[in-house]
Amino acid sequence: MNDFEAPVPEGQRTGITALARQQPDWERVKALVLDALSSPHSRRVYGKALDEFQSWAAQGAPEGFTKAAVQRYRLYLETLELAASTINVRLTAVRKLAMEAADNGLLGRDLASGIARVKGAPQIGKRLGNSLSREQALELLNDCVDDSLKGLRDKALLCLLVGCGLRRSEVACLTVEHIQQREGRWVIIDLIGKRGRVRSVPMPAWAKVAIDRWTTEARISEGALFRAVDQTGCVAGQAMTAQAIFLIVRHYADRMGASFAPHDLRRTFAKLAHSGGVPLEQIQLSLGHDSILTTEKYLGVRQNLTDAPCDHLGIQCDAYK
């Protein structure tokens, strides 16, 4: 019998509570969850969620790691007035902890199954997300006007987020070698995106100009495209992280007096392209969505009953004459 499955004598803390007090054992179990995730961003989010659950469990789970304890944890999260999506991500991490523990013989299957059945917070409606208008996008890109290395880097970075619809993790992983010419234009070649999907993304000419200015001044000819700039204005060797890119975008959002994040610039790319008449499937290919339904959610596409597709078929049968 292991620490998870030990019987619970009256007044004695066992299970996840005891484990939470044994840091080496807790880290070992947490590692089972994180090792099953391929995305660095997911590992970071789940790691933080499990650490927060550990802190709560040390005081709030006297009966151990049970369905009742996790249900009470959900109620605790709701008292914090967190968004439903945030609560559900944290609960998903806890459910995954239970299943991984069961798979590795650290928790009974019945207990794990019960925890897996804990319902998440109800989410009413669907958040369409934020996006910038064309005027706001231009204001953002024109906000980087200084010729310092940091300014040139930030401008090139923002140009790729708006002009190519990349994820911040994808921008962080870009290398000089990714940018090549194909069919007379500059393209980001063989970009590895979410779930390992590989795609190539066309680049607007103005984004390439911004990248050339940055790489020329920074003397970057190979390797990581975007790199840290230290306080003395010198380029550091290491590539930027996705979190650093997030902070850069938030910095320029604050300067504009607006509220948006890197993913909102990806959504901006999609909406501006769609309003410019780009076919939906081409936007899907640039974004790297597995399903066109995901692209439609980005765009908030609604069926147009006034000017419908059937009105543009160019067909008139005899019955209409």
Side-chain angles (χ1 to χ4, degrees), residues 205-228:
W206 42 267
K208 181 62 168 62
V209 170
I211 289 173
D212 287 346
R213 289 195 64 196
W214 152 245
T215 54
T216 298
E217 293 297 323
R219 298 182 180 179
I220 296 174
S221 58
E222 61 182 12
L225 180 60
F226 293 110
R227 308 182 189 189

Side-chain angles (χ1 to χ4, degrees), residues 214-276:
W214 152 245
T215 54
T216 298
E217 293 297 323
R219 298 182 180 179
I220 296 174
S221 58
E222 61 182 12
L225 180 60
F226 293 110
R227 308 182 189 189
V229 176
D230 62 25
Q231 293 181 348
T232 65
C234 296
V235 177
Q238 70 270 26
M240 296 182 67
T241 64
Q243 181 62 17
I245 293 172
F246 174 85
L247 294 175
I248 287 172
V249 173
R250 291 301 296 267
H251 167 73
Y252 286 99
D254 290 342
R255 281 175 46 156
M256 289 177 57
S259 177
F260 56 84
H263 215 74
D264 295 319
L265 301 185
R266 178 170 161 85
R267 191 175 288 108
T268 297
F269 162 83
K271 288 196 172 183
L272 293 181
H274 187 250
S275 64

Side-chain angles (χ1 to χ4, degrees), residues 180-217:
Q180 302 179 25
Q181 275 196 315
R182 291 290 188 277
E183 300 180 17
R185 71 169 305 140
W186 291 100
V187 181
I188 300 171
I189 298 295
D190 297 336
L191 179 65
I192 300 177
K194 202 171 182 180
R195 298 187 180 89
R197 287 193 290 270
V198 180
R199 72 187 191 279
S200 294
V201 183
M203 180 189 304
W206 42 267
K208 181 62 168 62
V209 170
I211 289 173
D212 287 346
R213 289 195 64 196
W214 152 245
T215 54
T216 298
E217 293 297 323

Side-chain angles (χ1 to χ4, degrees), residues 14-215:
T14 59
I16 195 69
T17 305
L19 190 68
R21 293 179 172 180
Q22 302 170 18
Q23 192 66 16
D25 290 339
W26 169 262
E27 292 298 331
R28 179 171 62 89
V29 176
K30 186 175 77 169
L32 296 174
V33 177
L34 303 186
D35 288 345
L37 303 171
S38 59
S39 166
H41 176 68
S42 296
R43 286 196 293 270
R44 184 172 62 254
V45 171
Y46 276 51
K48 181 180 179 182
L50 292 177
D51 287 341
E52 291 172 349
F53 177 65
Q54 177 196 18
S55 298
W56 174 86
Q59 300 297 325
E63 73 276 38
F65 196 20
T66 65
K67 180 179 180 181
V70 177
Q71 286 175 324
R72 193 162 61 254
Y73 180 59
R74 186 198 67 192
L75 294 176
Y76 161 75
L77 293 176
E78 291 175 350
T79 65
L80 301 179
E81 298 184 354
L82 300 173
S85 58
T86 301
I87 293 175
N88 292 336
V89 166
R90 297 186 184 185
L91 290 176
T92 299
V94 174
R95 294 190 199 100
K96 194 167 183 64
L97 176 72
M99 299 311 296
E100 289 292 341
D103 288 344
N104 288 271
L106 300 172
L107 184 67
R109 288 286 177 185
D110 290 343
L111 281 175
S113 297
I115 292 169
R117 291 195 297 273
V118 173
K119 294 182 179 180
Q123 189 164 351
I124 302 174
K126 183 162 184 69
R127 180 181 180 271
L128 290 177
N130 190 20
S131 63
L132 277 62
S133 66
R134 183 175 286 102
E135 292 73 20
Q136 288 175 316
L138 284 171
E139 180 183 353
L140 171 65
L141 298 180
N142 291 331
D143 193 21
C144 306
V145 294
D146 66 90
D147 290 331
S148 66
L149 277 178
K150 185 179 182 301
L152 293 175
R153 181 203 64 191
D154 292 353
K155 177 127 185 179
L157 187 153
L158 292 171
C159 281
L160 284 184
L161 289 171
V162 174
C164 299
L166 303 185
R167 302 177 178 93
R168 58 179 165 133
S169 59
E170 295 169 345
V171 173
C173 294
L174 277 181
T175 66
V176 174
E177 292 75 18
H178 275 113
I179 301 175
Q180 302 179 25
Q181 275 196 315
R182 291 290 188 277
E183 300 180 17
R185 71 169 305 140
W186 291 100
V187 181
I188 300 171
I189 298 295
D190 297 336
L191 179 65
I192 300 177
K194 202 171 182 180
R195 298 187 180 89
R197 287 193 290 270
V198 180
R199 72 187 191 279
S200 294
V201 183
M203 180 189 304
W206 42 267
K208 181 62 168 62
V209 170
I211 289 173
D212 287 346
R213 289 195 64 196
W214 152 245
T215 54

